[in-house]
Amino acid sequence: VKLLTVARDLRRRKARERDGRFVAEGVRAVEELLRSPLTVRGALAAPQLHDAPRGAALRAALAARGVPVEEVSERDFASAADTEAPQGVLAIADVPARDYAAVPTSGAATVLVLDAVQDPGNVGALVRTAAALGAHATVALPGTVDVWNAKVVRAAVGAQCHHHVFHSTWDALAAFLDAASVVLWAADAGGAPPVAPAGARVALAVGNEGAGLSPAVRARADRVVGIPITAQVESLNVAVAAGILLHALRP
Amino acid sequence: VKLLTVARDLRRRKARERDGRFVAEGVRAVEELLRSPLTVRGALAAPQLHDAPRGAALRAALAARGVPVEEVSERDFASAADTEAPQGVLAIADVPARDYAAVPTSGAATVLVLDAVQDPGNVGALVRTAAALGAHATVALPGTVDVWNAKVVRAAVGAQCHHHVFHSTWDALAAFLDAASVVLWAADAGGAPPVAPAGARVALAVGNEGAGLSPAVRARADRVVGIPITAQVESLNVAVAAGILLHALRP
C-alpha cells in the first residue's frame, strides 16, 4: 500500500485506532518525532519541503534514519495534509503503548487529567504545557478529542511523542488514584489557590470548555482549585489555567 | 448601506481601520459586547440563532438595547461570518479610542506587550488572559495581528470589549515607559523566574511565535524573565507563558 493512501486514511480516528498509527505533519512536529523513541514507519515529502526552514536538513535526517520516504506532488500531499499551507512533510508512526506505569510509585507525582476537553488546539496546548512543566503523564478521559489527531499533534508541536499522554476510562483512572495514593484536584472557577506540600502526589483535572467538569470527577475530587480572575471575563482559556496550576504544583 | 454589506466589508483590516468598526461574532462574544461600554451600531441575525444556547435571550437583549437587527438567511450570514458553523449572530461596533491613559500613573501597574505575535488564536488567548489576571492594558506592537480581527475577538471571547487593548508604535511605548516609570520585562526562554516587589510597575513583553522578541524590545528590556521547562519541548505556548508570568506578577 502506498504511504500516501495510508496517510490519507489515518485522518480518520477509526483508522488510527484500528492500525495503531498516527501522522505528524510539518517540520517541527516531524523533528520532534525523530528525536523521540517512537517507531517511524514512513514519510511523505513534497517539493516545497526544500523551501521550508530546516526542510532540507529534515529530509536528510529521514534518509539517515532509514525511514522510507515517498516523494509526492504538492497536490497529492495536500490531499493527505491537515494544514491549509502544508510545509510538505509528514511522517507515519506507531501510537506508543502507554499507561499509568509512567507515574512514579513513590515521591512527588503530577498527572494532568483532560475531562472531555474537545478543542484540538486546546488539547495540543495542554499536552505541550504538561510536557514543558514536567507532569509525569496526561490522561485523556472519554469525551476528549483523540490526542493523536493531526490538529492536536500540530498544536502540541509533537510533544505527545515524548510526554506520556494516553486515553483512559474513568474507572481505570479511579483505580489508579486508589492504588497509587494520588489525590484528585479539580480545576474550577471559584476554586481555592493550589498549595501543594513537597512530595505531593496530585492528579489535576480540567474540564470541558463549555460544560466544565463531569459529575464523576466532581464527586471524586479531593479539592477544588482555581485561579481568582477579574469580572471582565467569564473564565481563563483551559490551557492557560492548567499552565498556571501546574506551575504552582512544581517543587 | 445594508448591515450585511458592512459586515462583509469589515472582514478586511483596511476596512476596519478606515471605518473604525469591528465585528463580534457568536453568542458569547456578542453578549460580552453588550455588557461593555462600546457603541454597538447594528447586528445580523440568522434563523439558527434561535437554536443556539442563550440565542433567543440574546436576540431579545439586542432589541431591548435598541440595536438595529437585520434578519438574514443562513446563507447570507455565512458570507459575512468568520466561523465554519456560525451560531447566527454578529454585531458591528465602534473600535474604542484607547491609549496609555488606561494605566494608573502611580502605584502598581501591569501592562502586557505583544511584540509581533501573529497567530489570531494566540493573540485572543493573550487578551483574555491579560483581562482575567487584571493587567491594566495590553499593547500590540507592529507586526502583531489586528486585535479587532474576528478570529482574535472570538478567541478572546470578547475580552477586548472590556480590557484596554490597543495598537501602538514602539516609539510611543518607549515614551510611555519613560514618562510613567514602568520597567520593561522581556519574556524569553532561559529568563529568570519573575519576582516583583509590591507596587511594581511592569510592562511584560512576549515575542513572535517563531522569531521571538524584536531587537528594540531586547535592547530596552530591564530584565529577561522566563519559566524553566523540561527538555521535552522547545517552548511553552505564548499565551500559557504569559499567563504564568502575569499570575506571578499579581499582588
Side-chain angles (χ1 to χ4, degrees):
Chain A
V1 185
K2 290 172 74 175
L3 290 171
L4 177 62
T5 310
V6 175
R8 279 180 185 151
D9 197 36
L10 291 174
R11 304 207 295 178
R12 297 180 304 116
R13 183 171 188 162
K14 282 204 169 158
R16 292 193 297 274
E17 289 175 348
R18 182 194 62 215
D19 299 346
R21 303 268 160 89
F22 74 100
V23 169
E25 187 190 325
V27 172
R28 288 181 67 190
V30 175
E31 284 175 347
E32 287 307 318
L33 177 59
L34 289 184
R35 280 180 55 205
S36 81
L38 272 54
T39 305
V40 184
R41 297 290 174 177
L44 293 184
Q48 72 266 33
L49 176 58
H50 295 278
D51 304 325
R54 309 196 299 259
L58 178 58
R59 180 71 187 75
L62 285 163
R65 273 275 293 266
V67 174
V69 179
E70 199 168 285
E71 302 280 352
V72 297
S73 68
E74 191 165 338
R75 186 173 171 164
D76 275 347
F77 191 91
S79 72
D82 183 66
T83 40
E84 278 177 38
Q87 293 180 301
V89 66
L90 66 76
I92 297 161
D94 289 1
V95 170
R98 289 172 178 164
D99 58 27
Y100 292 99
V103 184
T105 51
S106 65
T110 308
V111 176
L112 179 63
V113 176
L114 312 182
D115 185 14
V117 184
Q118 282 182 314
D119 180 79
N122 283 342
V123 171
L126 284 160
V127 171
R128 182 178 173 189
T129 301
L133 297 179
H136 295 97
T138 294
V139 175
L141 290 180
T144 300
V145 67
D146 180 16
V147 299
W148 302 101
N149 170 316
K151 285 188 173 57
V152 177
V153 176
R154 197 169 69 251
V157 203
Q160 50 276 85
C161 299
H162 306 281
H163 178 67
H164 285 266
V165 51
F166 55 93
H167 288 272
S168 166
T169 62
W170 164 251
D171 286 347
L173 173 60
F176 160 75
L177 296 173
D178 286 336
S181 302
V182 170
V183 296
L184 181 63
W185 288 11
D188 202 9
V195 182
R201 297 175 61 78
V202 175
L204 173 74
V206 295
N208 176 272
E209 293 90 342
L213 296 159
S214 63
V217 168
R218 279 187 195 282
R220 166 78 194 228
D222 299 280
R223 195 184 296 184
V224 179
V225 293
I227 302 138
I229 61 172
T230 67
Q232 284 190 349
V233 297
E234 220 176 83
S235 61
L236 282 166
N237 168 278
V238 62
V240 174
I244 295 171
L245 294 169
L246 287 174
H247 185 257
L249 279 172
R250 295 183 90 177
Chain B
V1 185
K2 289 171 78 175
L3 290 171
L4 178 61
T5 310
V6 175
R8 280 181 185 150
D9 196 36
L10 291 174
R11 304 208 294 178
R12 297 180 304 116
R13 183 171 188 162
K14 282 203 169 159
R16 291 193 295 273
E17 290 176 349
R18 181 195 62 213
D19 299 346
R21 302 269 160 89
F22 74 100
V23 168
E25 186 190 325
V27 171
R28 288 181 67 188
V30 175
E31 284 175 348
E32 287 307 317
L33 176 60
L34 289 185
R35 279 180 56 204
S36 81
L38 272 55
T39 305
V40 185
R41 297 291 174 177
L44 293 184
Q48 72 265 36
L49 176 58
H50 294 279
D51 303 325
R54 308 196 301 256
L58 178 57
R59 180 71 187 76
L62 285 163
R65 273 275 294 266
V67 174
V69 179
E70 200 167 285
E71 303 279 353
V72 297
S73 69
E74 193 165 337
R75 186 175 172 160
D76 274 349
F77 191 90
S79 73
D82 183 64
T83 41
E84 277 176 37
Q87 294 181 299
V89 66
L90 66 76
I92 297 161
D94 290 2
V95 170
R98 290 172 178 163
D99 59 27
Y100 292 98
V103 183
T105 51
S106 65
T110 308
V111 176
L112 179 64
V113 177
L114 311 182
D115 185 14
V117 184
Q118 282 181 314
D119 180 79
N122 283 343
V123 171
L126 284 160
V127 171
R128 182 178 172 189
T129 301
L133 298 179
H136 295 97
T138 294
V139 174
L141 291 180
T144 299
V145 66
D146 179 15
V147 299
W148 302 102
N149 169 317
K151 282 187 176 55
V152 177
V153 176
R154 197 170 69 250
V157 202
Q160 50 276 85
C161 299
H162 306 281
H163 178 66
H164 286 265
V165 51
F166 55 94
H167 289 270
S168 167
T169 62
W170 165 250
D171 286 347
L173 173 60
F176 159 76
L177 296 173
D178 286 336
S181 303
V182 170
V183 296
L184 182 64
W185 288 11
D188 203 8
V195 182
R201 297 175 60 78
V202 175
L204 173 73
V206 295
N208 177 272
E209 293 90 343
L213 296 159
S214 63
V217 167
R218 279 186 196 283
R220 166 77 193 228
D222 300 280
R223 193 183 298 184
V224 179
V225 293
I227 302 139
I229 61 172
T230 66
Q232 286 191 346
V233 297
E234 220 176 83
S235 62
L236 281 166
N237 168 279
V238 63
V240 174
I244 294 171
L245 294 169
L246 287 175
H247 185 256
L249 279 172
R250 295 184 89 177

